[in-house]
Amino acid sequence: MSFPHRHLLGIEALRPEEITTLLDLADDYAALNRQPDKHADALNGLTQINMFFENSTRTQASFEIAGKRLGADVMNMAMQASSVKKGESLIDTALTLNAMHPDLLVVRHPHSGAVDLLAQKVNCAVLNAGDGRHEHPTQALLDALTIRRAKGRLHRLSIAICGDIAHSRVARSNIMLLGKMENRIRLIGPPTLMPSGIAEFGVEVFENMQEGLSDVDVVMMLRLQKERMDGGFIPSEREYYHRYGLDADKLRHAKPDAIVMHPGPMNRGVEIDGTLADDINRSVIQDQVEMGVAVRMAAMDLLARNLRLTRGAA
Amino acid sequence: MTDLHLVNARIVDPEAGSVSVGAVTVSQGLIRQVFDNKTNPFRGETGEVIDCNLKYLAPGIVDIGVKVCEPGERHKESYRSAGLAAAAGGVTTMVTRPDTTPAIDSPETLEFVTRRANEAAPVNVLPMAALTKGREGREMTEIGFLMDAGAVAFTDCDRVVTDTKVLSRALSYARALGALVIAHPQDPGLSKGAAATSGKFASLRGLPAVSPMAERMALDRDLALIEMTGARYHADQITCARALPALERAKANGLDVTAGTSIHHLTLNALDVADYRTFFKLKPPLRDETDRIAVAEAVKSGLIDIISSMHTPQDEESKRLPFEEAASGAVALETLLPAAMRLYHADLIDLPTLWRAMALNPAKRLGLSNGRLSAGAPADLVLFDPDAPFLMDRATLQSKSRNTPFDGARMQGRVLATYVAGQRIYERP
């Protein structure tokens, strides 16, 4: 088993067999998480700091639970309310925290590349919990685990990612991960929500949702940010829902056993029909949340092993 | 009376388009004569004789668009530090930008700058002034008074005058005075918030990006206004293939239009940003490789007239930030010549053509008599070795700010000595 990484900054740096290693371990943790006693000791004695420069409820909670179940001392820092407001630079904040000897730093930041920058300045393991519109690796990993458990495999699947691709770090990490695992990827959305140079990504692009969903195994919906609904990128919420919102009618074009995913939080009636989201036969949205904790436990466990190894060698 | 003989040099002559072995004699700060290798220039003459050992002697570089951060941010760059950097880089004339704090938009601020520059810098400094007050794009500056005070061109730098009424009036007024207007063609709407050029790389990195079309759109608009007003116009940086046909048409139609580009856009491309390296964040952002080659070809053909350093000092604090938040720009006075040698060694542009773009054309555009090696021209000269290899270490730069994208790069080509008006102001130790 090998996972030779100091940080988890993105999917880009991972090889397919490393992804499999991580998902296998996450499967074990998923089983543990269903036991009455959920405790393991992989992070005993280690300090985990969650630094969120951008609001988050679910990702932060997921990382916190993952750390606590593995025995880490977990501290949450709401960076929006703290020193950042006083004008401290990102690097100074990083150096200050670094002096407190954390072992795992979980970071979310509104700017692409900010987590990479921070990782260069600290000597602990850094996990990217989302940076701008760049990457959100643990989300892609939890999506992959959810797909693998639902479909029995993570290759040769036809997967549609729908919605605001341009501004989505979830989409980028998923395109990379699912591509590395040799799946067929389709992107569906209006051209205003597609990133530039998309033709070079090795994906198929559809502007018509029905065509794009035709015979896919997995339908992955993305959240449409409120601030993009005001006519700048799409004409209106209701027109978007009409053309790109997932409902039972549109889903009929996918394979009969196609699963529906959403990274949350959902805008019911904007990108997804509420009834469909709750349909336990099609929607795996709650499984995604469950797998999120397992994947984060696996990621922190693997990084902590490397951390102990390098420190033992030093 | 002769003061100086530079003999046994390979003379790069941008006017003749040639490189030939010969000698240059200097008298009272001016070039007295240029000899070929058959004649002995210093028979019976007095003065210092310098054997150039067959190294290359060219006119000193005339660099349009240098940012010196006085007034306002002297900690980033002063006239003294910029002047030393210029001397070490073979730049003998700095044409400085008015995008300081406050902007150089009145005869009073211009006089301050001129006084500071003459006291502190060993090279020629010619200031530009803002085209509109405060570079705000609303009211034109006192173009006439500013010209009297020594402004050689008018520009709002990277701020685009969006109001076409304001711009057309400023252009008309400038035309009447024969003033040169320099613009930064970037459509402000399309390029708002952009940190990279749109394409696969920017999308993978998740960076807000702008299409190169923003450059063509703004150039098209400006050229229409030039057609309307007849003003003298220079586009500071043309960096993409798409803007070239419009430029070609404008020149063919006889408009008084020239264009420049930056050394960075000629030698680097968008992929150099790699893992969010902020020293590669420029304005406009670096383009893809096809654009880089197209722009180099345009310099070679003469469609793009001028190469500039676009020297833009930024302190460490403004660069040690996430890429989107980091400041744009790079220092380049000292790296301009070594970087230009990359184009020469890659057989993209030969030496006389490089000096046409770095010395002759900018001097001509500003009505200066330097930038050439002819009798009577100021003896502003650079002696260099195009082959000398070195590893660029930014700690060695003379600039107060050391934000160079070439830090750690292998380069080939160094300045050996720089002369301004026949005086040696720099010699490589």
Side-chain angles (χ1 to χ4, degrees), chain A residues 12 91 112 133-134 172 196, chain B residues 199 203 205-206 276 320 324:
Chain A
E12 197 181 3
I91 289 176
S112 304
R133 44 177 103 164
H134 177 221
R172 276 175 187 69
S196 60
Chain B
S203 290
R205 287 285 175 273
Y276 305 101
R320 289 172 74 203
E324 281 169 63

Side-chain angles (χ1 to χ4, degrees), chain B residues 274-294:
Chain B
D275 288 324
Y276 305 101
R277 297 196 287 173
T278 56
F279 282 7
F280 291 79
K281 185 177 180 184
L282 304 173
K283 212 171 176 182
L286 287 168
R287 308 303 196 188
D288 69 19
E289 182 65 5
T290 37
D291 279 331
R292 182 183 81 87
I293 298 295

Side-chain angles (χ1 to χ4, degrees), chain B residues 27-47:
Chain B
S27 168
Q28 292 175 337
L30 302 177
I31 293 172
R32 200 180 73 175
Q33 210 170 343
V34 182
F35 298 89
D36 63 27
N37 60 340
K38 293 179 199 74
T39 43
N40 184 351
F42 51 97
R43 177 180 296 156
E45 296 272 5
T46 56

Side-chain angles (χ1 to χ4, degrees), chain B residues 165-245:
Chain B
K165 197 92 171 177
V166 171
L167 182 57
S168 68
R169 284 180 185 146
L171 287 169
S172 298
Y173 194 86
R175 186 205 37 85
L177 294 170
L180 178 67
V181 174
I182 299 184
H184 177 75
Q186 284 299 318
D187 182 76
L190 213 52
S191 59
K192 190 177 173 195
T197 300
S198 59
K200 185 186 179 191
F201 179 78
S203 290
L204 273 177
R205 287 285 175 273
L207 292 172
V210 58
S211 162
M213 198 61 93
E215 185 171 308
R216 193 194 110 182
M217 285 170 63
L219 183 67
D220 278 341
R221 181 201 75 158
D222 285 2
L223 292 175
L225 289 170
I226 297 308
E227 202 176 312
M228 190 171 110
T229 58
R232 301 176 63 217
Y233 176 88
H234 175 72
D236 68 345
Q237 297 181 74
I238 294 299
T239 62
C240 63
R242 278 193 173 131
L244 298 174

